[in-house]
Amino acid sequence: YNAKWQRSGVELYRDEIDRRTPARLSMLGDLRAAIEGDEIDVVFQPKLELGTGRVVGAEALVRWESPTRGRVSPAEFVRVAEDTGLIKDLTDLVLKRGIAALRMFDDAGLGLRLAINLSTHDLFDTKLPARVLTQLEYNQVQPSELTLEITESSLLVDAPRTRATIDDLHDAGFRLAIDDFGTGYSSLSYLRRLPVQELKIDQSFVSGMLLDPQDEVIVRSTIDLGHNLRLSVVAEGVEDEATLHALASMGCDVAQGYWIARPLSAPELIAWVIERRRSTATGQALPSVSRP
Ligand code: C2E
Ligand code: MG
Ligand code: MG
Ligand code: MG
């Protein structure tokens, strides 16, 4: 298998397939130490409801600041963790930190829902619902306050087995979202039968939708598709005000992106939400994002 790719000279692709390269093994060792040590952090990006202009939730995003590697992208180290048993420890850490932060948001009276990303391998663990419930009970948080984001591509991996976990999560009362929608190949009939409540349009379509008419068509049709399936539609990767207004006029429910806010630490998020609500209440300086 590998030899085939080697001969074809597709080095990058080969590296993706061969998971035991020295570089990956070295990152794996560092990541294990990082999880046991104090190098992993969780930040929170606000989710804005377009109809009301209210912040209704936040997505937990993992961060790794390595003393030797500097800041490593989660897209990179989550993949390395997934190829080994390490993803369980990483997910548990994010659940623990994320739900502790949700407790703080509740104490501050913010009424936010927290979203946590799951990886494909998490869905293979039949004990996943119990793992999440343990953290919720410890922090006295309700399952309905938590959204679990599952990427569209991971829905297609061994569907019967992952589907059982998805059903259990739904039965436990968690809200489920399909992340990075539009980048996988899930069929509409499969989508319709899944117990999900939310569809997140991938940022690759959103960020350039005002420049690329094809992206705009994809975003518009995904919003309609989501609504026809009675799902709440979230657009990620909103980087400017014009895109935010276009999404609002298309009836998109919720938006997330650098233009609204970058991912923040838990105390920063609390301060940001309180300040935003204060200035909205007094009618100051905030862009109107209500629908026309
Ligand atoms: P995602 O779940 O689709 O998260 C959205 C990503 O887009 C985040 O990147 C976020 O920082 C970034 N983003 C938000 N707004 C904008 C914007 O306006 N423009 C652009 N260009 N990007 C924006 P991040 O934090 O680097 O995470 C990348 C991916 O890594 C995530 O994609 C998710 O798939 C994965 N990931 C992150 N945290 C976790 C985690 O705790 N567990 C798991 N399993 N995966 C995670
Ligand atoms: Mg996500
Ligand atoms: Mg996403
Ligand atoms: Mg994405």
Side-chain angles (χ1 to χ4, degrees), residues 41-43 45 59-63 72-78 82 87 90-91 94-95 116-120 122 149 151 179-180 200 202-203 207 236-240 256-263:
D41 210 357
V42 178
V43 290
Q45 187 177 40
E59 177 176 9
L61 295 161
V62 68
R63 293 289 177 263
V72 189
S73 155
E76 197 180 341
F77 69 81
V78 166
E82 275 204 305
I87 190 66
L90 189 64
T91 299
V94 174
L95 284 168
I116 290 190
N117 291 285
L118 294 179
S119 83
T120 311
D122 291 321
E149 298 192 0
T151 61
D179 205 353
D180 299 348
K200 296 190 80 174
D202 192 64
Q203 62 188 52
S207 53
E236 57 176 30
V238 177
E239 293 181 349
D240 55 73
Q256 206 182 329
Y258 293 162
W259 195 80
I260 298 158
R262 293 201 169 244

Side-chain angles (χ1 to χ4, degrees), residues 35-93:
I35 292 171
E36 285 161 10
D38 197 27
E39 295 167 31
I40 303 286
D41 210 357
V42 178
V43 290
F44 303 89
Q45 187 177 40
K47 294 168 98 168
L48 185 74
E49 189 172 64
L50 294 174
T52 60
R54 274 183 75 83
V55 181
V56 290
E59 177 176 9
L61 295 161
V62 68
R63 293 289 177 263
W64 177 19
E65 185 77 47
S66 157
T68 50
R69 295 168 184 275
R71 175 161 285 203
V72 189
S73 155
E76 197 180 341
F77 69 81
V78 166
R79 192 160 11 95
V80 170
E82 275 204 305
D83 295 340
T84 66
L86 214 52
I87 190 66
K88 183 174 182 292
D89 296 330
L90 189 64
T91 299
D92 281 343
L93 194 148

Side-chain angles (χ1 to χ4, degrees), residues 59 110 275:
E59 177 176 9
L110 303 188
E275 170 57 22

Side-chain angles (χ1 to χ4, degrees), residues 201-212 215-216 219 235-240 242-244 247 256-258:
I201 310 174
D202 192 64
Q203 62 188 52
S204 61
F205 305 110
V206 176
S207 53
M209 63 178 253
L210 295 183
L211 301 172
D212 186 335
D215 283 350
E216 206 228 75
V219 170
E236 57 176 30
V238 177
E239 293 181 349
D240 55 73
T243 302
L244 188 68
L247 288 163
Q256 206 182 329
Y258 293 162

